[in-house]
Amino acid sequence: MLGVNKKKVEPVPVVQPNSQISEDILLKAWELMCTAKALTELYEANKEVTAKYVHATSRGHEAIQLAMGLQLKAQDYLSAYYRDDSILLAIGMKPYELMLQLLAKRDDPFSGGRTYYSHPSLNRPDMPKIPHQSSATGMQAIPTTGIALGIQYKENTGLLAVDENSPIVVCSLGDACITEGEVAEAFQMAVLKKLPIIYLVQDNEWDISANAKEIRAMDASEYAAGFKGLEVRSIDGTDFYESYKTIEEVIKTVRTERRPFLIHAKVPLLNHHTSGVRKEWYRDDLEEAALRDPFPKFKKQLADSGIEELILDALDAKVRKDVQLQYDRALLADDPRPEDLFTHDFAPTPVTKEEGEREPQGKEATVMVDSALFAVKELMEKHPECLLYGQDVGARLGGVFREAATLATKFGSNRVFNTPIQEAFIIGSTVGMSAVGLKPIVEVQFADYIWPGLNQLFTEVSRSCYLSNGKWPVSAIIRVPIGAYGSGGPYHSSSVESVLANIRGIKICYPSTGADLKGLMKAAYYDPNPVVMLEHKGLYWSKIKGTEDAKTIEPDEDYIIPIGKGRIVQESNTEEHTQTITIITYGMGVYWAKNASKQIKSQVEIIDLRSIHPVDTELVFASVQKNGRCLVLTEEPVHNSFAQALAGRISSACFQHLDAPVKVVGSESLPAIPLNSTLEKTMIPNADKVSVAINELLSY
């Protein structure tokens, strides 16, 4: 069946190790193993109730998980994946709490009923910290490695003491997900930076119905050999004694030597992949797997060590009774209320009004790229928890647009550093950095190259606050140079705001002047949520004719603009003219609009959104209602775009005030922007094209 070679396997002999593990720990481990087994069996016996929401359990994995969970401390960080309920029990979670998540109850301590069983997020002072865990296998490797990177940064800068109790990070993975490219990015950074992290790989040789022989050329221990500096331990994960002692040795080493390890534990999968994908549908190795059950093995080891079986059986019986009582109680717990749906999409921001001086006296105008540089410099001077990293932002270059010039020289390579070409790591690591109290500013070199990072942005970054019920918002700034400029061609010219706007849980800024860029950068820093800062390359130096106004007086250090507040660039005069128009735009569109309306300025009101999400609909709707005509201007192709969606909202909200259909102007709907300058000019908007559209609308 499925190409899996079926063979008869003799039971593995149980050998009592020479153990120094205390009897208290052994009995605690036995009690928890009984608990995990009882949970699995109770869920299966009540599957008509418990299978309403998909779940998986640790059955077969209990020994290695308990050995790890029992040795973690409150200062540690843990990434526990969807089969890790034994780890959760070992760190102190109660069956009742796990059941609240199983049944998607309102008081589910992890997500408030929003996500699956054993998808934990925990931020309690007396337990290891667990940032939001998703279902996307392997994706947890990058955020968790980001935690270790953040801890190392704090230790290197004196923000965190280094001693025998220094925190460690544990990332739990299934062996099948090791083939994910993002796991390789995490391993690469762990060995490159020598991070204090343990990758715990539980290898049950199954990826749903695909067996290891079908889907991998090597196991995790063999794969890890390619990452120089990642020390590996391969063990029998069904043996609690071997697992405990190995983990004890590895944890002690990582706490003191601050370097990465991988523990590869072989285990059987004794339960279903999930409650919705049942083992009997595709497995032909169940009899073989049952011979490796850690439960009878551990019981025999304990009995051989002198602990009476009566004691062990009594604990088992007590646990089963208690689990049943907790289940009965969980069934009666409240479900979430409809209004609970709308909480924690974003953490509240303290920035609610424009403050500081926008145009201080005695200053000369500054190019936009320098306004960004000065904003980051001021933030780093004031906040030691602020750091900047990405491709080529280090001291040698300071960014391909020189947007980070001098920063590494001033603040050191520990705070401003280059990463490998790893967009997924750059974006996803912000989750871990934020979890340890840092504020990362990271850079994707061009908008065209954000695509490898979208998995992390969508799966991990954007959903962390909402699915952790507000416990783990991701506070980070992701800088993205964007837009067509100077014949950049098909891989350095794209606009991507529509894709980003469809990722709920992130904020998106798109400033058009240096002053706005600096004010929004400050707002993004103090915002506890992830903010993508789109910075148009063509506005950085105001070299394009007609964009001179992007160069502005540099605001003072205290200047800040709330995200989601647009500005009136140019105001129409409805008393002087009976036919006026509102142009809603952002980025380069501001200058196309200004240049197109030079001869009829008093008839054209220009609104610069300054942010894609949230949108200042109050300002937009008020302007459209005032002028009765509206043009939405974007650099993106029009069809299926953010601009087209905004035009729809305007049509709906302002219908009674409109004297003409809402029009959208943007680039031609083609796959890419060509390199040739004539073709580029033909594809994207310009002032002449906008002028034609203005005249069409004014003619209604």
Side-chain angles (χ1 to χ4, degrees), residues 357 363 378-379 381-382 518 522 555-559:
E357 192 171 355
K363 281 189 173 184
E378 290 171 359
L379 288 167
E381 287 173 338
K382 191 171 184 178
K518 185 175 183 183
K522 294 293 181 75
D556 68 14
E557 185 174 351
D558 297 324
Y559 183 65

Side-chain angles (χ1 to χ4, degrees), residues 275-343:
S275 55
V277 184
R278 303 183 69 78
K279 59 187 177 182
E280 60 268 16
W281 294 351
Y282 60 91
R283 296 278 297 277
D284 65 351
D285 67 337
L286 294 174
E287 184 179 334
E288 171 192 335
L291 297 174
R292 299 164 56 212
D293 188 341
F295 188 86
K297 175 185 285 190
F298 191 34
K299 184 176 182 180
K300 187 174 189 310
Q301 288 175 323
L302 292 174
D304 289 348
S305 71
I307 300 176
E308 293 183 15
E309 285 198 45
L310 285 174
I311 294 175
L312 301 177
D313 291 340
L315 270 175
D316 189 11
K318 174 181 175 297
V319 161
R320 288 178 179 278
K321 182 178 179 181
D322 188 48
V323 164
Q324 181 64 54
L325 290 172
Q326 293 189 56
Y327 175 69
D328 294 340
R329 180 182 164 210
L331 288 174
L332 300 175
D334 290 341
D335 286 323
R337 300 166 187 167
E339 59 267 27
D340 294 337
L341 175 68
F342 302 99
T343 60

Side-chain angles (χ1 to χ4, degrees), residues 617-670:
T617 52
E618 182 179 352
L619 177 63
V620 168
F621 294 163
S623 179
V624 173
Q625 289 168 10
K626 167 189 170 185
N627 293 293
R629 294 169 178 81
C630 178
L631 169 64
V632 182
L633 176 58
T634 178
E635 189 169 322
E636 286 192 299
V638 171
H639 299 309
N640 306 315
S641 66
F642 159 76
Q644 196 171 57
L646 180 59
R649 293 172 68 183
I650 292 169
S651 295
S652 178
C654 304
F655 178 75
Q656 293 180 323
H657 301 270
L658 290 172
D659 298 320
V662 178
K663 188 175 183 61
V664 184
V665 172
S667 293
E668 300 295 336
S669 292
L670 295 165

